[in-house]
Amino acid sequence: MTDQPSPASTEGKPSALVRFDAFAAMLGDRRPAVFLDYDGTLTPIVERPDLAILDDSVRAVIRRLAGLCPVAVVSGRDLDDVARHVGIDDLIYAGSHGFDIRGPDLRTQIGEEYLGDLDEAEAALLGRLHGVEGALVERKRFAIAIHTRRVARDRKASVGDAVQGVAAAFPKLRVTGGKEIHELRPNVPWDKGKAVLSLLDTLGLAGPETLPLYLGDDETDEDAFRALAARGEGQGVGIRVMDPPAPSAAAWSLKDPAEAGAFLDRLAVWLAEG
Ligand SMILES: [Mg+2]
């Protein structure tokens, strides 16, 4: 949701792992601030969100990295949910796509005046989708996710129609989508990109001595890639976790969560060596 169109392209997305030396050279003597999506980035996409368990080795890497540079997890999940899954105290967590932010000495909530509409829309969705096998309505504080991964292929479209139908009755909410998910959230110009820029300001990391990195795998992460790209050449770096390559505003890529873990490990080792 940035003002500028992104240079979305499948071309020229070098692997931040395979070409780590070039990546490190680009970082130079700047300290990174690392922003991480959770599902599909740190853990493989699974059938049920509660089964997306963070590997202990990746948790250890993130903990090590957080001792070397600022680290924040920015997820579509509910704040408490993502914090529990990551399980590291003292990290910065941004839940509900950045609407709900918490960290040491930090608390920001966007869109509290939309909670009543979200409550009503949740009830409407539960009514509309009652009886659609596999459709999972998940209420987060600042969003309602409708998961379709376990819905029969020929019924997925009708779930989308139901979501659109409910959304039409709540003009203060808007629909966004992703992998096997529809989502209703407050219709305010706020997204993962705005959340990342706001965090950089709040944490005093907006200066040239810091290079923000964002790792993500999905459509909502493109908001963050665009926001970082819009800071200017070399002032923010997007890394999209994807296989096969897809159009993205990120400049770098990684194939899968395993590569993301390996990349974070390389980065931690490199930072520790100074
Ligand atoms: Mg994701």
Side-chain angles (χ1 to χ4, degrees), residues 37 39 217 221:
D37 170 51
D39 294 270
D217 74 305
D221 300 308

Side-chain angles (χ1 to χ4, degrees), residues 69-80:
C69 69
V71 176
V73 177
V74 183
S75 171
R77 284 178 182 258
D78 202 47
L79 178 63
D80 288 338

Side-chain angles (χ1 to χ4, degrees), residues 37-41 45 179 192 216-218 220-221:
D37 170 51
Y38 184 76
D39 294 270
T41 297
I45 296 286
K179 291 176 186 168
K192 286 181 165 184
D217 74 305
D218 211 341
T220 59
D221 300 308

Side-chain angles (χ1 to χ4, degrees), residues 185-209:
R185 40 171 152 154
N187 189 13
V188 292
W190 194 259
D191 54 40
K192 286 181 165 184
K194 298 276 198 308
V196 166
L197 296 182
S198 144
L199 274 171
L200 289 172
D201 273 337
T202 308
L203 300 170
L205 300 172
E209 66 284 355

Side-chain angles (χ1 to χ4, degrees), residues 66 71 88-93 103-104:
V71 176
I88 302 173
D89 294 340
D90 297 337
L91 273 197
I92 298 150
Y93 293 100

